[in-house]
């Protein structure tokens, strides 16, 4: 019988890899706590209209990447392709945006029907950060400092750089769009197919094109920066001054646009050249119009999303090992002979006394030799050996597996002190 396999582009996360994820999640959520950001959770399914109305009908995501289907009632529902729209929906629904500011984060799977390749999957994971109720630019600088700290504390600071742009007001973008279209229309035939189509639908996205002929044409195209409204220009200048004063390095990239319609003013990406074409690890910007667009009271907002798969790939490429990688437990307790009950009891005693330490009890019997082999294979640092003699005397034998030290037999309480000194950080 043909075995059933996972859906294309949707990954299993195996135990050998989970230390990377736990390290990431722990590091990032800890930083968010230190900045006073609070977690919000919302469903993975939403009404399709939520994404159409927020992300925009003529974006890549809505046009061709969404997992949309009808449920049993015939309602159109969609697996969330990103978190911002859901976050706004949830905040509005529960009155979190009324006359107050919110600094929020969430983490979880997102779904996009893209062509799977390294760093691009159909189910992927993001940590998202959203701030509501603050016009900036101080808070824009805060979340850039926050994202910089995340990458730095993970050890990836040297692997990424920050690109920054201002997308201006809706009006400014409209004027710029007309200028860009007028320019590109002259070269319509030389544009790649995607860009030709976008000329009529979402011309700003042409700036993002990976096609080299199109990129060459863009060299002399009008630049968004020249079309910024005074307010956006001032906001952008102030933001740059705050970043300069706080030691954040960046380059201004006037061609940086975001793939979603709702962004305006500040837009940014943390990019790397270590992951091939999938070089953006963190992306975000200001979306002051979205809350109102979704039916709420006009509320300034800014946020970003970090792709966790890409961070894991970078950690691996940078050979950064999270704690516990390759190790099942720090201590392997071998139980040799008729000592099952005493072994379980000793294990519980050790876990009570050493809560920071991981201990695995050998189950299923077997010879001393075979148990020690398993201890070694588990990558534990210490083997504890409980034989019938030890069980009778209330003692245990300690063998350091990765250091050249003589093995010794100690009382249970001596063993606890010894292990505390050897293993606890
Ligand atoms: P890209 O240009 O790579 O398609 P995007 O602009 O569509 O990215 P966003 O919607 O801004 O991406 O999502 C934020 C982050 O989520 C990206 O920077 C990336 O790290 C991650 N991401 C987006 N799509 C995928 C995917 N299909 N697989 C893995 N990670 C993804
Ligand atoms: Mg994309």
């Amino acid at each position: 019988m043909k075995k059933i396999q996972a859906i294309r582009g949707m990954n299993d996360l195996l135990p050998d890899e989970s230390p990377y994820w736990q390290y990431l999640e722990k590091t990032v959520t800890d930083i968010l706590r230190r900045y006073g950001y609070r977690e919000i959770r919302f469903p993975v399914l939403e009404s399709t209209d939520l994404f159409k109305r927020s992300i925009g009908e003529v974006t890549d995501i809505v046009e061709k990447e969404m997992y949309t289907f009808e449920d049993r009632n015939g309602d159109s529902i969609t697996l969330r392709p990103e978190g911002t729209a859901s976050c706004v929906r949830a905040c509005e629904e529960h009155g979190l945006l009324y006359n107050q500011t919110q600094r929020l984060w969430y983490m979880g799977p997102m779904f996009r029907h893209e062509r799977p390749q390294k760093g691009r999957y159909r189910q992927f994971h993001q940590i998202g950060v959203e701030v509501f109720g603050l016009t900036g630019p101080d808070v824009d600088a805060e979340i850039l400092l926050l994202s910089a700290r995340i990458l730095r504390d993970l050890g990836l600071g040297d692997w990424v750089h920050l690109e920054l742009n201002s997308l201006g007001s809706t009006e400014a973008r409209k004027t710029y769009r007309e200028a860009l279209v007028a320019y590109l229309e002259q070269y319509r035939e030389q544009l790649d197919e995607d860009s030709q189509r976008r000329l009529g639908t979402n011309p700003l996205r042409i700036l993002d094109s990976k096609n080299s002929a199109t990129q060459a044409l863009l060299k002399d195209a009008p630049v968004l920066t020249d079309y910024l409204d005074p307010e956006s220009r001032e906001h952008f200048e102030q933001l740059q001054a705050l970043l300069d004063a706080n030691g954040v390095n960046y380059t201004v990239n006037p061609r940086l646009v975001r793939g979603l319609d709702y962004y305006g003013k500040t837009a940014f990406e943390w990019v790397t050249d270590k992951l091939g074409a999938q070089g953006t690890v963190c992306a975000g910007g200001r979306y002051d119009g979205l809350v109102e667009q979704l039916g709420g009271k006009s509320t300034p907002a800014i946020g970003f999303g970090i792709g966790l798969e890409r961070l894991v790939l970078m950690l691996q490429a940078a050979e950064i090992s999270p704690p516990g990688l390759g190790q099942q437990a720090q201590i392997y307790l071998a139980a040799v002979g008729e000592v099952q009950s005493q072994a379980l009891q000793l294990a519980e005693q050790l876990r009570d006394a050493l809560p920071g330490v991981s201990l695995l009890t050998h189950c299923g019997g077997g010879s001393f030799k075979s148990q020690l082999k398993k201890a070694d294979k588990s990558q534990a640092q210490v083997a504890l050996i409980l034989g019938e003699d030890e069980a009778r005397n209330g003692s245990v034998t300690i063998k350091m597996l990765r250091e050249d030290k003589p093995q010794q037999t100690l009382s249970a309480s001596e063993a606890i002190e010894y292990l505390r000194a050897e293993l606890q950080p």
Side-chain angles (χ1 to χ4, degrees):
M1 195 161 63
K2 191 158 180 279
K3 288 215 178 109
I4 296 171
Q5 295 200 316
I7 292 171
R8 193 164 125 80
M10 308 218 170
N11 299 318
D12 298 309
L13 174 56
L14 303 181
D16 278 345
E17 238 186 322
S18 56
Y20 285 102
W21 289 79
Q22 288 165 356
Y23 169 66
L24 261 183
E25 290 166 4
K26 185 168 177 309
T27 307
V28 179
T29 57
D30 198 49
I31 292 171
L32 289 160
R33 178 188 56 75
R34 288 158 64 200
Y35 277 73
Y37 286 58
R38 297 187 300 161
E39 185 182 11
I40 181 167
R41 300 189 190 192
F42 30 78
V44 292
L45 280 171
E46 297 277 356
S47 294
T48 303
D49 282 345
L50 175 67
F51 302 114
K52 286 196 175 162
R53 263 161 61 181
S54 54
I55 298 169
E57 297 266 8
V58 293
T59 55
D60 282 353
I61 293 180
V62 172
E63 274 185 339
K64 50 189 188 199
E65 295 175 0
M66 293 209 302
Y67 279 90
T68 296
F69 44 90
E70 280 189 4
D71 72 2
R72 289 175 189 279
N73 303 327
D75 297 327
S76 179
I77 56 178
T78 295
L79 275 164
R80 62 180 186 201
E82 57 111 39
T84 304
S86 309
C87 188
V88 170
R89 199 266 312 132
C91 285
E92 267 300 309
E93 196 163 328
H94 299 283
L96 301 191
L97 303 183
Y98 190 75
N99 283 346
Q100 47 194 320
T101 61
Q102 294 288 349
R103 286 175 165 84
L104 304 172
W105 66 270
Y106 50 84
M107 174 164 66
M110 307 293 162
F111 303 85
R112 296 185 195 175
H113 198 280
E114 303 195 69
R115 192 169 68 79
Q117 51 196 295
K118 185 181 169 195
R120 191 176 294 286
Y121 312 100
R122 290 180 174 177
Q123 175 174 324
F124 63 99
H125 298 78
Q126 278 184 351
I127 290 180
V129 172
E130 318 286 355
V131 179
F132 297 100
L134 296 166
T135 50
D138 46 1
V139 77
D140 305 36
E142 174 182 291
I143 75 160
L144 284 166
L145 283 161
L146 166 57
S147 59
R149 183 187 292 274
I150 289 173
L151 294 161
R152 189 169 67 237
D153 285 9
L154 288 170
L156 299 173
D158 292 339
W159 289 61
V160 290
H161 69 273
L162 175 62
E163 297 201 347
L164 197 61
N165 195 15
S166 175
L167 303 178
S169 64
T170 313
E171 270 305 303
R173 274 198 308 287
K174 194 165 160 256
T175 319
Y176 172 66
R177 184 160 50 229
E178 282 159 13
L180 182 68
V181 170
Y183 170 83
L184 288 172
E185 278 292 359
Q186 307 169 73
Y187 309 100
R188 175 179 272 278
E189 296 314 309
Q190 295 165 52
L191 291 172
D192 61 280
E193 207 178 305
D194 246 2
S195 297
Q196 287 189 6
R197 190 172 50 82
R198 283 180 171 147
L199 212 46
T201 55
N202 198 350
L204 260 58
R205 285 290 280 171
I206 299 175
L207 300 176
D208 232 10
S209 167
K210 306 272 188 296
N211 183 284
S212 53
T214 301
Q215 275 302 330
L217 286 176
L218 287 168
K219 282 212 172 67
D220 299 317
V223 179
L224 177 54
T225 321
D226 298 333
Y227 289 77
L228 290 186
D229 51 297
E231 194 198 322
S232 297
R233 189 181 298 278
E234 196 190 333
H235 186 277
F236 195 33
E237 277 163 12
Q238 287 173 348
L239 172 59
Q240 291 180 59
L242 288 169
L243 296 178
D244 293 340
N246 282 279
V248 180
N249 293 322
Y250 57 89
T251 48
V252 173
N253 175 359
R255 298 224 191 116
L256 176 81
V257 288
R258 306 282 309 120
L260 299 79
D261 272 359
Y262 51 62
Y263 287 105
K265 287 190 181 159
T266 308
F268 62 89
E269 289 188 354
W270 286 95
V271 292
T272 178
D273 52 16
K274 304 287 193 291
L275 295 180
Q278 275 57 253
T280 307
V281 293
C282 169
R286 184 161 277 286
Y287 52 93
D288 294 343
L290 181 61
V291 175
E292 194 173 19
Q293 197 177 311
L294 288 174
K297 195 175 118 209
S298 170
T299 306
I302 183 166
F304 66 81
I306 308 181
L308 297 188
E309 280 79 1
R310 293 184 193 178
L311 284 190
V312 170
L313 285 169
M314 281 182 72
L315 289 174
Q316 291 169 343
E319 295 182 13
I320 295 168
S321 292
L325 185 69
Q327 184 179 62
Q328 198 169 2
Q330 291 163 286
I331 304 176
Y332 194 100
L333 172 58
V336 186
E338 286 302 313
V339 295
Q340 285 98 334
S341 172
Q342 293 96 321
L344 291 169
Q345 201 183 331
L346 175 63
E348 290 302 316
Q349 192 186 348
L350 289 168
R351 293 188 187 112
D352 282 339
L354 304 169
V357 169
S358 54
L359 179 149
L360 188 141
T361 311
H362 180 87
C363 289
S367 71
F368 172 76
K369 207 174 144 205
S370 74
Q371 292 195 31
L372 264 238
K373 238 190 203 159
K374 290 204 169 112
D376 190 45
K377 224 179 134 203
S378 77
Q379 294 296 324
Q381 285 143 272
V382 188
L384 293 182
I385 300 143
L386 187 74
E388 288 175 359
D389 282 348
E390 283 95 345
R392 231 183 340 266
N393 306 330
S395 63
V396 64
T397 298
I398 301 185
K399 183 176 165 58
M400 300 306 283
L401 294 170
R402 319 284 152 201
E403 288 166 75
D404 204 9
K405 278 191 183 164
Q407 96 182 23
Q408 46 180 329
T409 303
L410 300 175
S411 73
S413 58
E414 287 166 343
I416 286 169
E417 286 325 304
Y418 181 82
L419 293 168
R420 196 194 307 281
E422 289 286 326
L423 296 180
Q424 298 252 36

